[in-house]
Amino acid sequence: MPKRNKIIAVYPGSFDPLTNGHLDIIKKASAMFPEIIIAAANNLNKNHCFSLQDRLSMIKEAVKDIKNVKAAAFDGLVADYLARINSFILIRGLRAVSDFEYEFQMALMNRNLNAKIETIFLMPDLDYTFLSSSLVKEIAILGGKTVKFVPPCVEKKLKLLRKR
Amino acid sequence: MPKRNKIIAVYPGSFDPLTNGHLDIIKKASAMFPEIIIAAANNLNKNHCFSLQDRLSMIKEAVKDIKNVKAAAFDGLVADYLARINSFILIRGLRAVSDFEYEFQMALMNRNLNAKIETIFLMPDLDYTFLSSSLVKEIAILGGKTVKFVPPCVEKKLKLLRKR
Amino acid sequence: MPKRNKIIAVYPGSFDPLTNGHLDIIKKASAMFPEIIIAAANNLNKNHCFSLQDRLSMIKEAVKDIKNVKAAAFDGLVADYLARINSFILIRGLRAVSDFEYEFQMALMNRNLNAKIETIFLMPDLDYTFLSSSLVKEIAILGGKTVKFVPPCVEKKLKLLRKR
Amino acid sequence: MPKRNKIIAVYPGSFDPLTNGHLDIIKKASAMFPEIIIAAANNLNKNHCFSLQDRLSMIKEAVKDIKNVKAAAFDGLVADYLARINSFILIRGLRAVSDFEYEFQMALMNRNLNAKIETIFLMPDLDYTFLSSSLVKEIAILGGKTVKFVPPCVEKKLKLLRKR
Amino acid sequence: MPKRNKIIAVYPGSFDPLTNGHLDIIKKASAMFPEIIIAAANNLNKNHCFSLQDRLSMIKEAVKDIKNVKAAAFDGLVADYLARINSFILIRGLRAVSDFEYEFQMALMNRNLNAKIETIFLMPDLDYTFLSSSLVKEIAILGGKTVKFVPPCVEKKLKLLRKR
Amino acid sequence: MPKRNKIIAVYPGSFDPLTNGHLDIIKKASAMFPEIIIAAANNLNKNHCFSLQDRLSMIKEAVKDIKNVKAAAFDGLVADYLARINSFILIRGLRAVSDFEYEFQMALMNRNLNAKIETIFLMPDLDYTFLSSSLVKEIAILGGKTVKFVPPCVEKKLKLLRKR
């Protein structure tokens, strides 16, 4: 197990796209742990709206001012990714009961695949309780304003969805 | 805010197709508010089983005897639609906990997009607790009887699904 | 069934004591229905912290500026009370899944005891999601500040709890 | 109603593929009832990963040593299938709250379609709480080990998914 | 493990008092298993409304016409009681998500205390979804009618609660 | 905000008594943060089974071999306690959905009382999913074995409950 001042916490997800809810979780985590890696999944089986390249560059732009936070992409199982980078802490946000059940199942599975992994759950600020990447995309497609829900660099990309 | 005797309550949904559960909510709402508009979403991103035209004509046929109820179609965000027709009341049915979480998220988002909107939740009669449009379609496709679950005009259309 | 411009909606509860969350529900309901009665239960089997007299006078003070809202006490079943005052609409607030299940059970039972009763559920503003009368009392007893959570007239009474 | 020593309990599902969680439910049920039929749905509307033939042969291989258990395929509604084979007991596993809600809806619908049907819910061992066919497939596709989660005959087939 | 034609299933509870919901579960279970024992807990730590003697005699009266059902009292842990009478099946009713969580915890604990025990969950008819012993007692105390919710022998005893 | 190598995380609770589930959470947290304080509430309004002195000495005995873990008692609000000791991290365990809702309400309230506080949720090992202090006490009172559920020093005290 790494020394406490070398602890790396991983925040994995699709980030398709990153929302202000994700950003809130990242800020909270960055105050707790020495290093945070935001890990964007390169899951070819999922239909992502934005390419891995786009998702990653939006994250990098949004977190550029938070010193101990990096962004990276990963292939395969998140449990294997943590083993490769010598991390044992997985960070996830919890907004509601439905989140909770899915996240619990994933946390149990990840612990089963790699016994060292601990998942810690953080709660976003109330203002982000109702936010999700898919809802934000739906609003953008239906012509609604998303400026309150995502960082400026994501807002620009979302506007392009409308015009498709 | 409109005068209380001019209040319009909107019941939005896909209604793909209308079930007796929806109809029960509509009847309950029509006793409470001066005017009810059943608003069928023209969401091109969703794969509807019935066309907007078909969904709307089934609704109109089913509610033709309830005086203060109208049917309409809408494009874009429901929050914008309510603003356009000067309504601030959104009606939704709640059957179970899973409904509740999704509906809560949507209600919070709608309030965020248009601060005047209030969502009110009604509970269908127990006999409709297990009903949903998707379950009714699945039963029709698998050759089951749907006569107890939908109005007669919907039953006719559902039978055609089997023959596809 | 009463005419729509004579509809009375009842908001029953213990109100031990009234919180800003209750007040938010009352304001939302008062914009929807011609008349609202806040009905404080005189349930001798429950251990209330404040007397019926106190609970009622705090409510009256808090809603004195909302024209179509009255406060009243009731004995026995709420279903019987609604029948006595010729109302068929019960209003309840929903904050979370645990609320939902209890409220659903009560709504089903009330409908069973009096088939005309419809329960409508309203959602308080996000800021009141975590508020409850019992939590407010616990904070007061432990010496915390409750000024953000209750109307001024309730705040005064809560301060006395500390000194007991 | 059949005599108690002739009771047939049906365990229906997609089994796409059978997991050790399913197998655990089957073993528990086989100790309770004279005869168990594992009924694999031939639902052409669902996108199965394995063919009906494959799903059925994996089940047969996995349960070959449990005397009172058989496997069968069925078309159409499960409620009609139970009527055809003179069974009134449906067995389902419950792992979590989200399971529970879906299963409740299905159980109510099945009782409505065939009033004689009773659904009984069994709880798999804790070790299988986080298992599901879809999660197992996802792990296989992402290159993870599934040997702890499925019977050997299923493990062989899952490995082929990786190579696609 | 006992032979299948000698299986005893135990339905434990407080039954303070027995409701029509309990009775519905008992009837469903009696069609599935050779012998059912309704086991009333003699838990001195709980404040029961009716004495063990009263609870037991109400159960016996209510089930006297169902051949394979008996009533009994038990002390201590239900897991130990099942071991003493050579039973491995525990029956519980599930009405809602809140039931589910509590019942899951108890089922896991019972399995831990006695590895042979399997808990099976049955779902009462929809009409009993909102029923509970505590709600029935509350209605009786508040002067409501309970004739639809409990067997006649329980109704008689409940009426006496009012007069206290 | 304190430097990251001086972070103190607080795990508050009644610990009436400490279980192996609590201990599991403590061990997980101690690998993540430089210092952990287990804070036993001296809440005079709750009916504790064990005195504050007893609860605290059981905790101290159980964690004596974990270097960065201390035990302490606190009065009043936990939000105020964290401010006094210059901590901003609250640790809580999550076992099930019902936990989640209560914990969410408390976390939101604590954030409201002290905006700096972040609650992080950890998940105990599956073997402790069904454990709670109250269940352990009930088993002890009913004469069951609790040796698998609590540390040896707690087991000794629990045995005394039986003899009362």
Side-chain angles (χ1 to χ4, degrees):
Chain A
M1 199 157 283
K3 286 197 183 167
R4 225 167 266 108
N5 61 357
K6 298 257 172 105
I7 282 179
I8 300 168
V10 174
Y11 181 35
S14 292
F15 305 107
D16 185 38
L18 186 85
T19 68
N20 287 341
H22 296 130
L23 210 49
D24 186 49
I25 295 293
I26 292 164
K27 283 174 189 165
K28 289 181 197 314
S30 73
M32 293 180 190
F33 298 107
E35 185 177 344
I36 309 291
I37 295 179
I38 311 174
N42 182 23
N43 192 335
L44 299 173
N45 289 76
K46 281 199 185 169
N47 283 321
H48 290 122
C49 185
F50 295 101
S51 71
L52 180 63
Q53 180 106 351
D54 275 1
R55 289 182 279 137
L56 212 49
S57 69
M58 287 186 277
I59 297 171
K60 283 180 178 168
E61 171 67 21
V63 303
K64 69 181 178 209
D65 295 332
I66 317 178
K67 278 186 188 167
N68 59 334
V69 175
K70 287 178 197 164
F74 74 99
D75 280 290
L77 293 168
V78 73
D80 292 341
Y81 176 68
L82 266 81
R84 283 201 297 277
I85 64 168
N86 204 21
S87 163
F88 71 101
I89 299 181
L90 241 170
I91 291 170
R92 297 292 292 162
L94 277 185
R95 289 161 304 180
V97 169
S98 48
D99 273 5
F100 171 78
E101 290 245 308
Y102 173 78
E103 294 296 339
F104 238 49
Q105 191 193 22
M106 293 310 295
L108 288 168
M109 182 51 99
N110 282 322
R111 197 182 270 169
N112 195 293
L113 293 167
N114 176 344
K116 286 179 192 155
I117 293 181
E118 290 307 332
T119 303
I120 77 165
F121 299 104
L122 298 176
M123 205 175 58
D125 281 352
L126 260 186
D127 290 344
Y128 307 120
T129 298
F130 54 88
L131 262 192
S132 70
S133 293
S134 54
L135 200 49
V136 160
K137 280 180 283 188
E138 198 181 322
I139 289 168
I141 289 167
L142 293 174
K145 286 177 189 162
T146 56
V147 69
K148 285 185 290 185
F149 308 137
V150 293
C153 60
V154 176
E155 167 73 359
K156 263 185 238 164
K157 292 266 185 195
L158 276 173
K159 273 185 185 156
L160 302 175
L161 287 183
R162 187 80 213 272
K163 288 167 190 162
R164 282 186 195 173
Chain B
M1 199 157 284
K3 285 197 182 167
R4 224 168 268 109
N5 61 355
K6 296 257 173 104
I7 283 179
I8 300 169
V10 174
Y11 182 35
S14 292
F15 304 107
D16 184 39
L18 186 85
T19 68
N20 286 341
H22 295 131
L23 210 49
D24 187 49
I25 295 293
I26 292 164
K27 283 174 188 165
K28 290 181 197 314
S30 73
M32 292 181 190
F33 298 107
E35 186 176 344
I36 309 290
I37 294 180
I38 311 174
N42 183 24
N43 193 334
L44 299 172
N45 288 75
K46 283 198 185 169
N47 282 320
H48 289 121
C49 185
F50 296 101
S51 71
L52 179 63
Q53 181 105 354
D54 274 3
R55 290 183 279 136
L56 211 50
S57 71
M58 287 186 277
I59 297 171
K60 283 180 178 168
E61 172 67 20
V63 303
K64 68 180 180 212
D65 295 332
I66 317 178
K67 278 187 188 166
N68 59 335
V69 175
K70 287 178 196 163
F74 74 100
D75 281 290
L77 294 169
V78 73
D80 293 341
Y81 176 67
L82 265 80
R84 283 201 296 277
I85 65 168
N86 204 22
S87 164
F88 71 102
I89 299 180
L90 241 169
I91 291 170
R92 296 292 292 162
L94 279 185
R95 289 161 306 180
V97 169
S98 48
D99 274 4
F100 171 78
E101 289 245 308
Y102 173 79
E103 294 296 340
F104 238 48
Q105 190 192 23
M106 294 308 297
L108 287 169
M109 182 50 100
N110 282 322
R111 199 183 268 169
N112 195 292
L113 292 167
N114 176 343
K116 285 179 193 154
I117 294 181
E118 291 306 332
T119 304
I120 76 165
F121 300 104
L122 299 176
M123 205 175 57
D125 281 352
L126 261 185
D127 290 343
Y128 307 119
T129 298
F130 53 87
L131 260 192
S132 69
S133 293
S134 54
L135 199 49
V136 160
K137 280 181 283 188
E138 199 180 323
I139 291 168
I141 290 166
L142 293 174
K145 285 178 190 163
T146 56
V147 68
K148 285 185 291 185
F149 309 138
V150 293
C153 61
V154 176
E155 167 73 359
K156 263 185 238 163
K157 292 266 186 194
L158 277 172
K159 274 187 184 156
L160 303 176
L161 288 182
R162 187 79 214 273
K163 289 169 190 161
R164 282 186 195 173
Chain C
M1 199 158 283
K3 286 196 182 168
R4 224 168 267 107
N5 61 356
K6 297 256 173 109
I7 282 179
I8 301 169
V10 174
Y11 181 36
S14 292
F15 305 107
D16 185 40
L18 186 86
T19 69
N20 287 341
H22 296 130
L23 211 49
D24 186 49
I25 295 293
I26 292 164
K27 283 174 190 165
K28 290 182 197 315
S30 74
M32 292 180 189
F33 298 106
E35 185 176 345
I36 308 291
I37 294 180
I38 311 173
N42 182 24
N43 192 336
L44 300 172
N45 288 75
K46 282 198 184 169
N47 282 322
H48 290 121
C49 185
F50 296 101
S51 71
L52 179 62
Q53 182 105 351
D54 276 2
R55 290 182 278 137
L56 212 48
S57 70
M58 288 186 277
I59 298 171
K60 283 180 178 169
E61 173 67 21
V63 303
K64 69 181 179 210
D65 295 332
I66 317 177
K67 277 187 188 165
N68 60 334
V69 175
K70 287 178 197 165
F74 74 99
D75 281 289
L77 294 167
V78 73
D80 293 341
Y81 176 67
L82 266 80
R84 283 200 296 276
I85 64 169
N86 204 22
S87 164
F88 72 102
I89 298 181
L90 241 170
I91 291 170
R92 297 291 292 162
L94 278 185
R95 289 161 305 180
V97 170
S98 48
D99 273 5
F100 171 77
E101 289 245 308
Y102 173 77
E103 295 296 340
F104 237 49
Q105 190 192 24
M106 293 309 296
L108 288 169
M109 181 51 99
N110 282 322
R111 198 183 268 168
N112 195 292
L113 292 167
N114 176 345
K116 286 179 192 154
I117 294 181
E118 290 307 333
T119 303
I120 77 166
F121 300 104
L122 298 175
M123 206 174 58
D125 281 352
L126 261 184
D127 290 343
Y128 307 121
T129 299
F130 53 87
L131 262 192
S132 69
S133 294
S134 55
L135 200 48
V136 160
K137 281 181 283 189
E138 198 181 321
I139 290 169
I141 289 166
L142 294 173
K145 285 179 189 161
T146 56
V147 68
K148 284 186 291 186
F149 307 139
V150 293
C153 61
V154 175
E155 168 73 359
K156 261 184 241 166
K157 292 266 185 196
L158 276 173
K159 273 185 185 157
L160 303 176
L161 287 183
R162 188 79 213 274
K163 289 167 190 163
R164 283 186 195 174
Chain D
M1 199 158 284
K3 285 196 182 170
R4 224 168 269 109
N5 60 355
K6 297 255 173 107
I7 282 179
I8 301 168
V10 174
Y11 182 35
S14 291
F15 305 106
D16 185 40
L18 187 85
T19 69
N20 286 341
H22 296 130
L23 210 49
D24 186 51
I25 296 293
I26 292 164
K27 282 174 189 165
K28 290 182 197 313
S30 74
M32 292 179 189
F33 298 107
E35 185 176 344
I36 309 291
I37 295 180
I38 311 174
N42 183 23
N43 192 336
L44 300 173
N45 288 74
K46 283 198 184 170
N47 281 322
H48 290 121
C49 184
F50 296 101
S51 71
L52 179 62
Q53 182 106 351
D54 275 2
R55 291 183 278 138
L56 211 49
S57 70
M58 288 186 277
I59 298 171
K60 283 179 179 168
E61 173 66 21
V63 303
K64 69 181 178 207
D65 295 332
I66 317 178
K67 278 188 187 164
N68 60 334
V69 175
K70 287 178 198 165
F74 74 99
D75 282 290
L77 295 167
V78 73
D80 292 343
Y81 176 67
L82 265 81
R84 284 202 295 278
I85 65 168
N86 204 23
S87 164
F88 70 101
I89 298 181
L90 240 170
I91 291 170
R92 297 291 292 160
L94 278 185
R95 288 160 307 180
V97 170
S98 47
D99 274 4
F100 171 78
E101 290 245 309
Y102 173 78
E103 294 296 339
F104 239 50
Q105 191 192 23
M106 294 310 295
L108 287 169
M109 181 51 99
N110 281 322
R111 198 182 268 169
N112 195 292
L113 292 167
N114 176 344
K116 284 178 193 157
I117 294 181
E118 290 306 332
T119 303
I120 77 165
F121 299 105
L122 298 176
M123 205 175 58
D125 281 353
L126 260 185
D127 290 344
Y128 307 121
T129 298
F130 53 88
L131 263 191
S132 69
S133 292
S134 55
L135 199 49
V136 160
K137 280 180 284 189
E138 198 181 321
I139 290 169
I141 290 167
L142 293 174
K145 285 178 190 163
T146 56
V147 68
K148 285 185 292 185
F149 308 139
V150 293
C153 60
V154 176
E155 167 74 359
K156 263 185 240 166
K157 292 266 185 194
L158 276 173
K159 274 185 184 157
L160 303 176
L161 287 182
R162 187 79 214 273
K163 289 170 190 160
R164 281 185 196 176
Chain E
M1 200 157 282
K3 287 197 181 167
R4 223 169 267 107
N5 61 356
K6 296 257 173 107
I7 282 179
I8 300 169
V10 174
Y11 181 36
S14 291
F15 305 107
D16 186 39
L18 186 86
T19 68
N20 286 341
H22 296 130
L23 210 49
D24 185 50
I25 295 294
I26 293 164
K27 283 174 189 166
K28 290 181 197 315
S30 74
M32 292 179 189
F33 298 107
E35 185 175 346
I36 309 291
I37 294 180
I38 311 174
N42 183 23
N43 192 336
L44 299 173
N45 288 75
K46 282 197 184 170
N47 283 321
H48 289 121
C49 185
F50 296 100
S51 71
L52 179 62
Q53 182 106 350
D54 275 2
R55 291 182 278 137
L56 211 50
S57 69
M58 288 185 277
I59 298 170
K60 283 180 178 168
E61 172 67 20
V63 303
K64 68 180 180 211
D65 296 332
I66 317 178
K67 278 186 188 168
N68 59 335
V69 176
K70 286 178 197 164
F74 75 99
D75 282 289
L77 294 167
V78 72
D80 293 341
Y81 176 67
L82 266 80
R84 284 200 295 278
I85 66 168
N86 204 22
S87 163
F88 70 102
I89 298 181
L90 241 170
I91 292 170
R92 297 292 292 162
L94 279 184
R95 288 161 305 179
V97 169
S98 47
D99 273 4
F100 172 78
E101 289 246 308
Y102 173 79
E103 294 296 339
F104 238 50
Q105 191 192 23
M106 295 309 296
L108 288 169
M109 182 50 98
N110 282 322
R111 199 183 267 169
N112 195 293
L113 293 167
N114 176 344
K116 285 179 193 155
I117 294 181
E118 291 305 333
T119 303
I120 76 165
F121 299 105
L122 298 176
M123 206 175 57
D125 281 352
L126 261 185
D127 290 343
Y128 306 120
T129 297
F130 54 87
L131 261 192
S132 70
S133 294
S134 55
L135 200 49
V136 160
K137 280 181 283 190
E138 198 181 322
I139 290 168
I141 289 166
L142 293 174
K145 284 178 191 165
T146 56
V147 68
K148 284 185 290 184
F149 308 138
V150 293
C153 61
V154 176
E155 166 74 359
K156 262 184 239 165
K157 292 266 185 195
L158 276 172
K159 274 186 184 156
L160 303 175
L161 287 183
R162 186 81 214 272
K163 288 169 189 161
R164 282 186 196 174
Chain F
M1 200 157 286
K3 286 195 182 169
R4 225 168 266 107
N5 61 355
K6 298 258 173 106
I7 282 178
I8 300 169
V10 174
Y11 181 36
S14 293
F15 304 106
D16 185 38
L18 186 86
T19 68
N20 286 341
H22 295 131
L23 210 49
D24 186 50
I25 295 293
I26 292 164
K27 284 174 188 165
K28 290 181 196 314
S30 73
M32 293 180 189
F33 298 107
E35 185 176 345
I36 309 290
I37 294 180
I38 311 174
N42 183 23
N43 192 335
L44 300 172
N45 288 76
K46 281 198 186 171
N47 282 321
H48 289 122
C49 186
F50 296 101
S51 71
L52 179 62
Q53 181 105 352
D54 275 2
R55 290 183 279 136
L56 211 49
S57 70
M58 287 186 277
I59 298 170
K60 283 178 178 170
E61 172 67 20
V63 304
K64 69 180 179 211
D65 295 332
I66 317 178
K67 279 187 187 165
N68 60 335
V69 175
K70 287 178 197 163
F74 74 100
D75 281 289
L77 293 168
V78 73
D80 292 342
Y81 176 68
L82 266 80
R84 284 200 296 277
I85 65 169
N86 203 23
S87 163
F88 71 101
I89 299 181
L90 241 171
I91 292 171
R92 296 292 291 161
L94 279 185
R95 289 160 306 179
V97 170
S98 48
D99 274 4
F100 171 79
E101 289 244 308
Y102 173 79
E103 294 296 340
F104 238 49
Q105 191 192 23
M106 293 310 296
L108 288 169
M109 181 51 98
N110 281 322
R111 198 182 268 168
N112 195 292
L113 292 168
N114 176 344
K116 286 179 192 154
I117 294 180
E118 291 305 333
T119 304
I120 77 165
F121 299 104
L122 298 175
M123 206 176 56
D125 281 353
L126 260 186
D127 290 343
Y128 307 120
T129 298
F130 53 87
L131 262 191
S132 69
S133 293
S134 55
L135 199 49
V136 160
K137 281 180 284 189
E138 198 181 323
I139 290 169
I141 289 167
L142 293 174
K145 286 178 189 162
T146 56
V147 69
K148 284 185 290 184
F149 309 138
V150 293
C153 61
V154 176
E155 167 73 359
K156 263 185 239 164
K157 291 267 185 195
L158 276 172
K159 274 185 183 156
L160 303 175
L161 287 183
R162 186 80 214 274
K163 289 168 191 162
R164 282 187 195 172

